Amino acid sequence: MSIIICPGIHESALTESFISGLLNGSIDQYQADILVFPGKDFLSLSALHILEFLRDRLKNPLESPLIFISFSAGVVGAIGAAHLWQLLGGRVKAFIAIDGWGVLLQGNFPIHRMSHDYFTHWSSSLLGCGQYNFYAEPAVDHMSIWRSPETVQGWGIDSSIGIFPPKGYLSAAAFLRMLLEHYEAN
């Protein structure tokens, strides 16, 4: 299983901080399986550039199931790349969109949304969300959830019943690790 990180349009130091915050726990074994799309400027929006990156970097491209973790503008390119990957015969184990506000998320793979506040969570879920999602509470600024996922606290919620009851208060990094461990086991 490979984890594909598709950042938004920002400095690469923020993505390095995100990975450090994510790995600062029980999933150090995933570090070797993480690929970071090096998109600069508007390449993060390009599904074709992300797909080309995957085909170049993966040894047995279609044999490796992928988990996409995308942020902000990177959600746009990543969701398109996930669909293209499947059209080519590849497998998407899960798609995690962090603050992909305004991006339509649909697919025949598990989708999870993470948001920096409740309003972004609620309004984004109108455009598709998965069964288990996360929003920060107290709310944080947009970049904080990417820069420091280990410090952002919030609710992991089950959206499948439509009432959005809280399921657990945890950090964004703990939520992500929980998802990764779940998909590693299944």
Side-chain angles (χ1 to χ4, degrees), residues 2-149:
S2 294
I3 300 165
I4 310 306
I5 296 184
C6 299
I9 301 170
H10 53 75
E11 308 135 16
S12 61
L14 292 176
T15 300
E16 292 167 17
S17 180
F18 169 77
I19 294 169
S20 176
L22 177 62
L23 296 179
N24 194 16
S26 62
I27 62 164
D28 291 333
Q29 71 269 18
Y30 289 113
Q31 193 165 11
D33 297 326
I34 292 177
L35 295 173
V36 179
F37 177 67
K40 295 185 191 243
D41 300 325
F42 296 101
L43 288 182
S44 297
L45 299 166
S46 173
L48 291 175
H49 282 92
I50 295 170
L51 182 65
E52 181 180 314
F53 168 79
L54 293 175
R55 295 178 78 179
D56 287 344
R57 297 300 191 286
L58 296 172
K59 292 180 176 103
N60 298 313
L62 298 178
E63 294 175 18
S64 178
L66 304 181
I67 292 179
F68 284 83
I69 299 176
S70 54
F71 173 67
S72 193
V75 175
V76 175
I79 192 68
H83 286 287
L84 290 171
W85 187 256
Q86 281 196 321
L87 285 173
L88 292 173
R91 180 169 174 229
V92 176
K93 275 192 124 173
F95 188 90
I96 302 165
I98 302 174
D99 259 5
W101 190 78
V103 180
L104 178 65
L105 294 182
Q106 295 179 341
N108 58 350
F109 41 81
I111 293 173
H112 305 277
R113 278 196 189 263
M114 296 179 67
S115 302
H116 75 278
D117 64 11
Y118 182 76
F119 174 77
T120 303
H121 161 74
W122 172 81
S123 58
S124 293
S125 67
L126 298 173
L127 295 172
C129 66
Q131 181 173 348
Y132 201 54
N133 304 289
F134 174 92
Y135 68 89
E137 190 176 324
V140 297
D141 67 273
H142 172 65
M143 291 304 223
S144 290
I145 197 167
W146 189 251
R147 178 182 49 243
S148 309

